[in-house]
């Protein structure tokens, strides 16, 4: 398992992360098996959110792992807050108020049965965000020792700038969707000044921004073809992509999942990949891609096979 430095925090952790969003679908015994399979594979970073199973995923994690102080000090636990359920129609709403953030962290710590989080992320942007309130919450959480480092998810550069202006704590992480079949943060940068749909900059240059500011990107849904629309692996609509991936898997003696993972870890941005699977075997397979030495040509061949343009 390859380890990387997380921003400027001084933390070195596995470049693959166990995402815990789907733990709610498993009994405690299977959660235990899954978590220990991840640990045995070298994963020491675990991602949660208070909205996942309305907290049930965090509870199951604690029940299955039964963290002793010795276990806890060798793990990095991350959770997210800010998404609330309710309101009219689809979706809920966001709450980045000082009160909500502080209450959310207390709930997270109670469910995880730990005294502190290594990382707390704001879960998606809140257009009603008052950065001064967020700063107050971060300061209180840091002073109390409840949270050691902070970050965001799905923020663009200007949203990060706005928040960072008011928070002395560095925003160390930005969690963003990225897979071979979902590459908007890469696409426009490869077709600058061209009359192509791919040239439209939808991300504000977030990939380059994070690299410039030492913000670690965490890639979620690394096997998804859209917004929770299913995996591209084995999908007949991605025939050419799957053929290229499988050919390289055979060449390197790994699984197709490893190649899909390795395509992300190969990028020099030193991206962490969040594995949200509930399959112990998929974890093992994916971990083979932690440090897969894809060549530049191979990386671009995979990118093109997904239907992207390289001028």
């Amino acid at each position: 398992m390859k380890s990387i430095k997380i921003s400027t925090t001084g933390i070195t952790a596995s470049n693959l992360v166990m995402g815990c969003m789907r733990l709610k679908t498993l009994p405690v015994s299977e959660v235990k098996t899954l978590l220990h399979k991840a640990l045995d594979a070298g994963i020491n970073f675990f991602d949660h959110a208070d909205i996942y199973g309305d907290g049930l995923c965090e509870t199951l994690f604690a029940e299955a792992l039964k963290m002793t102080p010795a276990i806890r000090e060798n793990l990095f636990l991350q959770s997210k807050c800010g998404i609330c359920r309710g309101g009219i129609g689809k979706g809920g709403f966001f709450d980045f108020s000082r009160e909500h953030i502080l209450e959310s962290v207390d709930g997270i710590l109670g469910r995880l049965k730990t005294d502190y989080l290594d990382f707390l992320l704001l879960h998606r942007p809140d257009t009603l965000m008052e950065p001064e309130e967020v700063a107050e919450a971060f300061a209180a959480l840091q002073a109390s020792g409840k949270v050691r480092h902070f970050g965001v998810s799905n923020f663009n550069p200007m949203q990060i700038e706005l928040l960072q202006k008011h928070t002395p704590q560095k925003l160390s992480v930005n969690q963003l969707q990225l897979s071979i079949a979902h590459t908007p943060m890469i696409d426009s940068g490869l077709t600058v000044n061209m009359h192509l749909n791919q040239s439209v900059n939808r991300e504000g240059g977030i990939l380059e921004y994070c690299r410039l500011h030492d913000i670690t990107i965490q890639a979620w849904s690394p096997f998804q073809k859209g917004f929770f629309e299913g995996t591209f692996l084995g999908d007949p609509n991605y025939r050419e992509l799957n053929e290229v991936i499988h050919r390289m898997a055979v060449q390197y003696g790994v699984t197709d999942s490893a190649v899909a993972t390795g395509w992300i870890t190969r990028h020099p941005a030193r991206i962490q990949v969040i594995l949200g699977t509930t399959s112990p075997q998929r974890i093992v397979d994916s971990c083979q891609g932690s440090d897969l030495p894809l060549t530049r040509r191979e990386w671009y061949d995979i990118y093109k096979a997904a239907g992207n343009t390289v001028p």
Side-chain angles (χ1 to χ4, degrees), residues 4-236:
I4 61 172
K5 293 180 179 179
I6 309 301
S7 183
T8 58
T9 62
I11 289 175
T12 299
S14 57
N15 69 340
L16 300 190
V17 175
M18 181 68 220
C20 299
M21 184 178 73
R22 294 183 173 87
L23 296 187
K24 65 181 180 180
T25 65
L26 302 175
V28 174
S29 60
E30 291 185 23
V31 173
K32 181 178 180 179
T33 298
L34 187 70
L35 296 179
H36 282 281
K37 185 66 71 174
L39 290 168
D40 291 344
I43 294 175
N44 61 4
F45 201 112
F46 295 84
D47 175 68
H48 294 271
D50 60 359
I51 197 71
Y52 295 164
D54 291 325
L56 178 59
C57 295
E58 292 168 331
T59 299
L60 286 169
F61 178 90
E63 290 179 4
L65 201 54
K66 299 189 184 304
M67 287 183 293
T68 63
I71 292 174
R72 177 64 183 94
E73 70 181 16
N74 290 307
L75 301 181
F76 299 104
L77 298 186
Q78 170 177 284
S79 195
K80 304 181 287 293
C81 71
I83 297 180
C84 303
R85 299 195 188 279
I88 297 173
K90 293 183 179 180
F93 62 98
F94 301 100
D95 189 345
F96 284 3
S97 66
R98 178 183 186 276
E99 179 182 19
H100 182 77
I101 293 172
L102 295 179
E103 287 181 355
S104 295
V105 170
D106 284 341
I108 291 166
L109 295 178
R111 290 187 294 272
L112 287 175
K113 292 181 169 43
T114 185
D115 295 328
Y116 68 95
L117 287 175
D118 296 284
F119 293 87
L120 174 71
L121 310 188
L122 297 180
H123 204 173
R124 293 192 171 275
D126 175 10
T127 192
L128 300 182
M129 176 181 71
E130 297 172 88
E132 298 88 349
E133 279 206 44
V134 175
E136 289 178 9
F138 283 5
L141 291 169
Q142 187 177 61
S144 66
K146 294 179 179 180
V147 177
R148 296 186 173 179
H149 304 284
F150 300 87
V152 295
S153 70
N154 306 289
F155 272 48
N156 66 32
M158 289 300 100
Q159 291 166 335
I160 294 174
E161 286 284 324
L162 174 60
L163 181 55
Q164 191 70 87
K165 175 183 177 181
H166 296 271
T167 54
Q169 299 83 7
K170 178 175 174 55
L171 300 174
S172 301
V173 170
N174 191 8
Q175 201 171 102
L176 298 159
Q177 184 176 6
L178 175 65
S179 76
I180 298 169
H182 181 90
T183 54
M185 74 172 75
I186 293 171
D187 297 341
S188 60
L190 289 176
T191 53
V192 172
N193 201 36
M194 297 180 69
H195 285 296
L196 297 172
N197 182 55
Q198 182 178 320
S199 303
V200 177
N201 188 339
R202 296 177 171 84
E203 307 293 316
I206 190 61
L207 174 63
E208 292 77 15
Y209 177 89
C210 288
R211 296 182 72 181
L212 282 168
H213 292 271
D214 295 316
I215 297 172
T216 296
I217 292 174
Q218 295 176 343
W220 58 271
S221 287
F223 308 123
Q224 292 283 320
K225 58 190 176 185
F227 190 66
F228 300 117
E229 295 174 11
T231 178
F232 57 82
L233 291 172
D235 187 330

